[in-house]
Structures are given as structure tokens and as C-alpha cells.
Amino acid sequence: MVAAMGGLLFGYDIGISGGVTSMESFLKKFFPSVLEKQKDEAAHESEYCKFDSQLLTLFTSSLYFAALVASFFAAAVTRTFGRKPSMFIGGLVFLIGSILNGVAMNVGLLIIGRLLLGVGVGFANQSVPVYLSEMAPAKIRGALNIGFQMAATIGILAAGLINYGTAKIEGGWGWRLSLALAAIPAIMMVIGAVLLPDTAVAKRMLQRVRGTQDVDDEFQDLVDASEAAKKVEHPWRNILEKRYRPQLALCTLIPFFQQLTGINVIMFYAPVLFKTLGFGDDASLMSAVITGLVNVLATVVSIFSVDRFGRRVLLLEGGAQMIISQVAVGIMVALKFGVNGEGTLSKTDANLLVFLICVYVAAFAWSWGPSGWLVPTEICPLEIRSAGQAINVSVNMLFTFFIAQTFLSLLCHMKFGLFFFFAVFVITMTVFIHLFLPETKNVPIEEMNRVC
């Protein structure tokens, strides 16, 4: 649970930014041009374009660019000093960033705070999934590793609830509270990282985490794998070797496809998206809370099913469900708003739209959400694990940055076609999983070479 606080950091930040950027007091303070565009009724701005601002999207996306850069430094720290120092650094830097965001008086300080949050996320996402995979017994490794994703979904839900509450604070300072409360999971992670056992400590620690003295066979497997890994000095050079091509491909393509599902369009910008589609202020924030709750509940499903049914089954089913719901959302938005972006949603239409988005979120939350982090951490043998996870995190952050920075512009220019754009990628990645992903359920992490 302590290790998974890294997921809580990640999730809270994903959820908080969209709600804050839909608050009038926040826009008035930092992005007045966006607010003027919304209120200028004479301009007849298309519904698709009323939040289109590169500076506004930079507030959200700057974090993920910093996480991308930080993940490479975090890989060296994780490999050289262990997983715990990387988690500690991540929590501490995130704490500083959350304080700066809470007291920010101008856009510059706001962006600096976001960049520090990004460094924290980069270190946490590099170390936590690897730590969880290494500490878990093979039979429940999937469930425990999903603790990271579970914490992320709880963070997203908590952010939605907090935004809903702080938006009602009189005086227009509620957004400061929303941003500053990110300090709570950061403090928990910093304290927890000091108390956690390090996976580098040998047999005594293995007996402790397994709850039994009979660990000789597993310990010997770990020793053998560790000795082989110590002979390898260049994980980055090694992962480019032909024998590790499958791991390299999976560590690159899985996070790429995970982001091109379009999920972070919903998670970052849910309040903004719902507001764009005609929901009122309260309704847009509450709809984001509903999708956040669905996200949490569906992740619970994955915890109980990933080690029973395997990774492939969940990824394939989730992909099919996302395709259907995403195409349905695209058709509905096309029928109601057309190409010119003018139209309204009835109460029935709005409820149906929220339902379809919840179906989509549920599919992601029990498939590509957790397995997108789980599979890359478990398929890499020890000698390339730090490099593999660095690639996984950096590709994930690169395309998270791309989606965060371009979504509002893409929505403005592609209109309802944006939903079909993401659906094409979901179709592609589902076919990819069917053809190329081996099943890793119940395979000990030190024996993963025999399936890849």
C-alpha cells in the first residue's frame, strides 16, 4: 500500500488538472483570454473550440514532459541505489511542486510547480511498478502490481470529489486547495519509502514478505538471476540486442497504445469535455466524479481477475469494449453537434453520453489501465529491467504529453472525428495483443525469458 502511493500521486494529478482548468476563478487568474472567449457570445465560437489555448494545455502537459526527462535519471538511480531512494526522491520533489502550485501567483510559478510534479511522477512511475513486481509472489503478482493502478484510480476519483467541493468555495481560492492537497500523498510516499524493505536485501527479507521460512528454491532462483545480471554492465546496450527485441517492442508499443486509446482525454479533461458538450459547471464536475468512481470499481475487477484469467483475455475484451463505446460516442456527438459544433444535449442525451463514456472507462480500467503498467515491468529479465521500465515510462509520458498538449486543438479541428481517430488505434492495438503478446500469468519473474 505504501509503494502504491506512487500511483496515488499520478492519479491525483491526472484528475485535478481538468477540474481546476474548468473553474472560472482559476481561468480568471491565469488564463483570462480563455475565459473571455467562453463569455463572448457574439463570437459564436464553435462548442468544439471554446477551450482551445496552447498556454492552458501547457499547464497540464508540462508535468508529463518533465516526467519523460526525469524517467531516464530515475532509471540510473533505481538501478544503482535501489528502488527505495527513487521512491523517496519522487515523493519529496512532488511535495515541493504541490506547495508551489498552491501558492502560485503567476503562470511562470504555476508551470515550475507542474514541472517539479513531473519529476516526482517520473521517479515514482519508474520505481514503484518494478518494486511491486519484484516483491510479489508469482501467483498474485498481477493483483499486487495493480495496486499501483488502483491507487491511481483512487487519486483520480479523490481529485474529482475535491474539485467538486472546492469549486463551491466563496472567494475564488478553491483551486489553490485542490492543487496543494497533492502534498498529502507525497508526504505519505516520502515517509513510507523510508520504512519499506529494499528488494536488494536477501534471504531474510524474502522470508518476511512471503511469511514462511521455506523460501530456499525461490531464493536460489533469485540469486542465480542476480548473479547473471551483475555480469551485465550496459542494460541500455543490451536491450537493443536481438534476443531482447520482443521485450523492447513490448516496452515501447504497450505504453504507446495505452495513451492512444484516448483515455487521458477523459481523465485530464473530463470536466472540460463535459462542459464543451453542454453540461453546466456542477454537472460537468459531477460527471467527472461518476467516471472516476467507475474507474475505481472496474480496477477492483482487474485485481480479482488478472491472475485468474490472465493478461491477454482482459486486454482483448477491454479493447473490444472500448472500440464499441468510442465509436458510439463519436456517432452521438456527430449527430448532436455536427461539423459546426452548434447544438445542445437533452437530459436523456446527456445521461446516455455519460453512460457510454463510463462503459469505455470501465473497459480501460480492467484491461489497458493496469496491464499497460504490469506487463512491461514483468516481461523484462533483471539485466534489462531498469532500462525496459525507463523506456516504458518515457514512451508513456511522451505520448501523455502529446495528448495533453494537443487534445483541445485536435478537438477544435477534428471535431467528432477525434473519437474515431482514437478508435482506430484501439482496433490496431487489440490486433497487436492477439498476435504478439505471450501470457505471463503465474510465470515467476526470474523465469520470464522462457515466454518472451
Side-chain angles (χ1 to χ4, degrees), residues 118-130:
V119 173
V121 166
F123 272 83
N125 285 14
Q126 168 69 24
S127 54
V128 171
V130 171

Side-chain angles (χ1 to χ4, degrees), residues 244-265:
Y244 294 128
R245 293 278 170 77
Q247 286 91 342
L248 177 61
L250 290 169
C251 284
T252 304
L253 290 174
I254 286 177
F256 167 76
F257 284 133
Q258 187 192 49
Q259 291 311 307
L260 269 295
T261 59
I263 185 63
N264 279 335
V265 167

